[in-house]
Amino acid sequence: MNMKKNLIIIAHPNYKDSLANKTIVDTLEEKTQGNTIHNLSELYPDFNIDVKKEQDALLKADHIIFQFPFYWYSVPPILKQWIDVVLSYGFAYGEGGDKLRGKNFVVSTTTGTPVEAYTSNGMNRRTMEEFLYPIEQTAKLCLMNYVQPVYSHAMIAWKDQDRTLVVNKAKEHASRVLTLIT
């Protein structure tokens, strides 16, 4: 049996205190093998990303998973920096830039706001798919297979009783990611 290799790229500015994102990653680790985890904020607190190391990890992966809290309608700054320097011309796109062709790419993200906020009539006036379109287009430019994104809403625990709800929702979120990569 050929085991698929997953590269989970975590972009969370305060991952050690995260409940939702940490539970998602812990669940993925528990239920799959062949994971490589790159916690960008821990690896590169100065944003000085080791491009070769990151590109080498991408080359070894079958599935690339971005795990992050949805941040001002986009990705956290460390992930934007990573995208800017790692997915370079000649590697990920452009002339000779086909190194990621055919790799499966999954966006796994959490929001603090309720699902109703991400509708045309909601507070944010757009759907999650609309906000995630730049990431989808980046994956397509890099010749990757953009797999449907997995996102969960209202993933903040304000009170102790909310913690159990968030943990359960995070485990369910991880199960949805698992169905895409197994």
Side-chain angles (χ1 to χ4, degrees):
M1 181 170 93
N2 187 10
M3 182 174 50
K4 296 287 186 178
K5 294 182 174 104
N6 307 311
L7 174 61
I8 303 170
I9 299 171
I10 303 167
H12 195 300
N14 192 15
Y15 182 71
K16 67 179 175 50
D17 292 329
S18 168
L19 181 59
N21 284 263
K22 193 162 182 342
T23 300
I24 292 165
V25 173
D26 288 349
T27 304
L28 292 175
E29 278 190 286
E30 175 186 313
K31 302 208 183 258
T32 59
Q33 296 177 351
N35 296 308
T36 299
I37 297 180
H38 285 202
N39 185 330
L40 300 181
S41 294
E42 285 181 8
L43 289 171
Y44 311 112
D46 58 359
F47 280 57
N48 188 15
I49 293 169
D50 183 337
V51 173
K52 176 141 179 38
K53 175 182 177 176
E54 296 301 317
Q55 288 178 342
D56 287 346
L58 287 168
L59 293 173
K60 294 173 187 166
D62 298 300
H63 302 287
I64 299 158
I65 303 160
F66 279 3
Q67 179 62 55
F68 62 95
F70 201 58
Y71 217 80
W72 285 103
Y73 310 108
S74 187
V75 298
I78 188 76
L79 185 52
K80 177 62 170 98
Q81 173 71 2
W82 185 95
I83 291 167
D84 288 348
V85 300
V86 174
L87 301 181
S88 60
Y89 183 88
F91 174 78
Y93 71 97
E95 188 176 334
D98 60 353
K99 309 300 184 288
L100 303 178
R101 179 187 302 276
K103 292 185 182 283
N104 294 319
F105 177 75
V106 178
V107 169
S108 173
T109 188
T110 60
T111 73
T113 52
V115 65
E116 301 81 34
Y118 291 93
T119 63
S120 58
N121 296 322
M123 176 178 79
N124 297 320
R125 299 181 32 226
R126 299 280 183 270
T127 65
M128 283 297 292
E129 288 80 7
E130 288 175 289
F131 283 117
L132 293 173
Y133 181 74
I135 300 172
E136 176 182 356
Q137 188 57 32
T138 298
K140 289 181 187 240
L141 178 68
C142 297
L143 307 173
M144 291 187 281
N145 301 320
Y146 183 78
V147 181
Q148 79 181 68
V150 177
Y151 46 85
S152 295
H153 298 281
M155 297 296 276
I156 293 178
W158 297 108
K159 302 173 285 216
D160 283 344
Q161 62 263 36
D162 293 341
R163 290 183 65 77
T164 301
L165 178 63
V166 169
V167 166
N168 290 338
K169 285 171 51 178
K171 287 179 179 180
E172 188 275 329
H173 178 115
S175 291
R176 289 186 284 144
V177 173
L178 286 166
T179 63
L180 299 174
I181 64 172
T182 55

